[in-house]
Amino acid sequence: RKEVEQDPGPFNVPEGATVAFNCTYSNSASQSFFWYRQDCRKEPKLLMSVYSSGNEDGRFTAQLNRASQYISLLIRDSKLSDSATYLCVVNRRDSGYALNFGKGTSLLVTP
Amino acid sequence: NAGVMQNPRHLVRRRGQEARLRCSPMKGHSHVYWYRQLPEEGLKFMVYLQKENIIDESGMPKERFSAEFPKEGPSILRIQQVVRGDSAAYFCASSPEQENYGYTFGSGTRLTVV
């Protein structure tokens, strides 16, 4: 089983739609969870951390289910500028701050 | 406060040559991480370093690849005797000590082996 698994998509949605991405991770001892965004051929950028209680940042909501080892990202009122690849990220086993990245889910928001 | 600085942005090497990729972490950051991204693939962890120490190199290929983060100067990822399969984007990230709020990445070095 891969350490971090995501549906690669692509997800094609119209502007204004709500879209959700899911991710599963294999290391039950993981403590740190993030969503990153990567635009084509650019560096990944931190979108938000994911907390056990769930957290929201504007149009973005992240949820963590430790029992199922499952993370989600919800984007409301999609904008054209949200088109990107969304990376699910979990800290590596026994390696403190080093992180494992999923392969990403591609989102295309269309007019 | 400058971000993570990587250079060069683009590097072309012939098969068999050496490639040296440099990474200067953000000011105040003492942890450096190197990742490789092959075309159409995800980011693969390579190595995690602190000043003068390799903490985790479990993602580094066994041969030809090495990394260092000296007391002074940038972190260096060195690839000896490059092959076509080494062509990829190499990203460096840094984080502060004793925090895990995610990394900041540099813009990457795109290595092309011809």
Side-chain angles (χ1 to χ4, degrees), chain B residues 53-74:
Chain B
N53 282 308
I54 296 174
I55 306 302
D56 179 358
E57 56 181 347
S58 58
M60 289 279 268
K62 295 282 187 282
E63 297 175 349
R64 303 188 296 109
F65 285 71
S66 62
E68 62 176 4
F69 188 15
K71 189 175 180 181
E72 301 291 339

Side-chain angles (χ1 to χ4, degrees), chain A residues 60-81:
Chain A
F60 299 84
T61 301
Q63 297 277 353
L64 168 64
N65 182 324
R66 285 187 185 272
S68 302
Q69 293 177 212
Y70 170 97
I71 305 164
S72 65
L73 177 68
L74 183 78
I75 306 176
R76 290 181 299 278
D77 188 23
S78 300
K79 311 291 184 193
L80 297 177
S81 57

Side-chain angles (χ1 to χ4, degrees), chain B residues 1-38:
Chain B
N1 187 11
V4 178
M5 303 301 292
Q6 286 189 252
N7 64 82
R9 290 291 299 274
H10 299 275
L11 181 61
V12 179
R13 284 288 177 266
R14 294 186 185 280
R15 280 179 295 171
Q17 290 185 317
E18 178 179 288
R20 280 182 177 245
L21 287 60
R22 287 176 291 277
C23 170
S24 296
M26 284 183 72
K27 188 175 180 181
H29 286 193
S30 57
H31 299 224
V32 166
Y33 315 83
W34 286 94
Y35 285 77
R36 176 164 67 173
Q37 189 169 34
L38 295 166

Side-chain angles (χ1 to χ4, degrees), chain A residues 36-55:
Chain A
Y36 275 71
R37 167 194 171 130
Q38 186 173 29
D39 293 279
C40 187
R41 297 181 64 78
K42 299 251 179 102
E43 74 273 23
K45 294 186 177 174
L46 178 63
L47 181 65
M48 60 196 301
S49 301
V50 185
Y51 302 118
S52 297
S53 53
N55 50 297

Side-chain angles (χ1 to χ4, degrees), chain A residues 2 13 19 22 24 32 51-52 67 69 84 90 93 103:
Chain A
K2 290 182 183 175
V13 302
V19 61
N22 303 319
T24 57
S32 302
Y51 302 118
S52 297
Q69 293 177 212
V90 177
R93 186 190 307 272
K103 286 184 72 171

